[in-house]
Amino acid sequence: MTNALIFGGSSGMGLALARTLLADGMDVTIVGRSADRLTAARTELERTARGTVRTARADIGREQEVAELFARMGRVEHVAVTAADATGVYGRTADVPTAAARAIVETKLLGAWLIGKYAAGHVTGSVTYTSGINAYRPNGSNTIVAAANGALESLAYGLAVELAPVRVNVISPGWVDTPIWDQLGMDKRAAFAELAQRLPARRIGSPDDIAQAFVSVMRNEFITGTVLHADGGHRLV
Ligand SMILES: NC(=O)c1ccc[n+]([C@@H]2O[C@H](COP(=O)([O-])OP(=O)(O)OC[C@H]3O[C@@H](n4cnc5c(N)ncnc54)[C@H](OP(=O)(O)O)[C@@H]3O)[C@@H](O)[C@H]2O)c1
């Protein structure tokens, strides 16, 4: 049995979570679209893993791929989801291509729903999704991402009731230094430095900060239907 199935485990927060669980001796399957990215991640993870690393290719937005993956997996203790296609979604609503808006909704929201649909009967412990600070801090260039994140949190409340006693939760990260920022074409360092000054935590998040938040809700058997904010206090400033 795979102890943890991580959609998005080949990069950023999902990769950090895989590293943490594997160091604890869990068997982990990481899922993504790119075979090259999965192979590179597995090679890196195997350097420190005490459990077994497996990879699986699937697009979270494609129903057949999600259904077949769960059918192949059999029983899974924990499912974690960090995968989402956010390419081209940042900008004023008038400028965001509709295809990009559809892609974020189809991956972050409908992909999460597909996992809820097909994980039923396979997952025994928990499902944990990733939303984000955008849902709480509209800034004029994140409107559709904010909407997808907000809807994802509502989805998780519904699934926590439907899938019980399997627990369903959401981690809402603040700004975290991961490869997702590289596609935004902005001065990441300057933006991070400016925000870090204002944040109560006085720094930007690391993938490891988010991995620890995942672990805390995955392990605590009394937490379900909850959004855990791992954002350095971003909602307060
Ligand atoms: N980084 C931040 O500051 C931040 C802040 C708030 C919220 N978030 C949210 O946190 C989550 C994780 O972000 P991250 O920064 O860790 O991103 P990342 O480093 O870009 O990693 C994304 C992972 O998801 C996979 N993926 C993307 N689209 C997929 C799809 N359609 N099907 C299956 N796998 C897919 C990617 O692999 P492939 O590309 O090979 O599929 C990769 O493994 C995202 O939902 C993001 O919106 C991030």
Side-chain angles (χ1 to χ4, degrees):
M1 177 169 101
T2 280
N3 300 118
L5 180 63
I6 306 177
F7 288 86
S10 62
S11 177
M13 304 172 191
L15 179 61
L17 176 62
R19 195 180 301 113
T20 303
L21 298 178
L22 284 158
D24 244 26
M26 288 175 77
D27 293 338
V28 173
T29 301
I30 56 172
V31 185
R33 294 165 301 178
S34 156
D36 288 349
R37 250 181 144 179
L38 287 167
T39 304
R42 187 176 60 205
T43 304
E44 191 222 295
L45 289 168
E46 279 174 341
R47 284 190 206 120
T48 51
R50 287 179 47 233
T52 305
V53 194
R54 294 186 186 86
T55 62
R57 271 180 75 187
D59 184 328
I60 195 181
R62 297 195 177 168
E63 180 159 14
Q64 197 176 341
E65 294 183 21
V66 175
E68 285 175 2
L69 178 65
F70 278 104
R72 273 201 315 274
M73 294 300 303
R75 286 174 97 68
V76 178
E77 203 175 340
H78 299 286
V79 175
V81 187
T82 62
D85 187 352
T87 314
V89 286
Y90 292 98
R92 289 170 355 120
T93 294
D95 301 329
V96 171
T98 305
R102 282 195 206 286
I104 191 71
V105 172
E106 279 173 9
T107 53
K108 185 151 267 203
L109 179 60
L110 280 175
W113 181 81
L114 287 172
I115 286 170
K117 180 169 180 171
Y118 290 102
H122 295 278
V123 63
T124 58
S126 71
V127 179
T128 311
Y129 295 109
T130 314
S131 62
I133 183 65
N134 285 329
Y136 301 86
R137 281 286 171 276
N139 64 13
S141 67
N142 63 6
T143 302
I144 189 66
V145 190
N149 280 330
L152 170 62
E153 293 179 359
S154 295
L155 175 83
Y157 301 147
L159 289 175
V161 173
E162 277 199 65
L163 299 184
V166 170
R167 296 173 301 103
V168 183
N169 293 294
V170 181
I171 305 300
S172 175
W175 286 16
V176 180
D177 192 357
T178 71
I180 210 171
W181 287 87
D182 299 339
Q183 60 183 268
L184 296 183
M186 60 189 279
D187 183 350
K188 177 174 101 167
R189 304 243 156 264
F192 281 0
E194 190 277 323
L195 179 66
Q197 259 182 354
R198 286 191 289 125
L199 282 184
R202 297 285 188 271
R203 66 173 176 83
I204 295 300
S206 70
D208 226 33
D209 291 325
I210 308 306
Q212 294 305 328
F214 266 91
V215 169
S216 62
V217 301
M218 286 164 72
R219 295 236 161 107
N220 189 316
E221 294 184 358
F222 205 52
I223 298 182
T224 191
T226 289
V227 178
L228 174 61
H229 299 277
D231 62 7
H234 196 152
R235 280 167 308 124
L236 309 177
V237 296

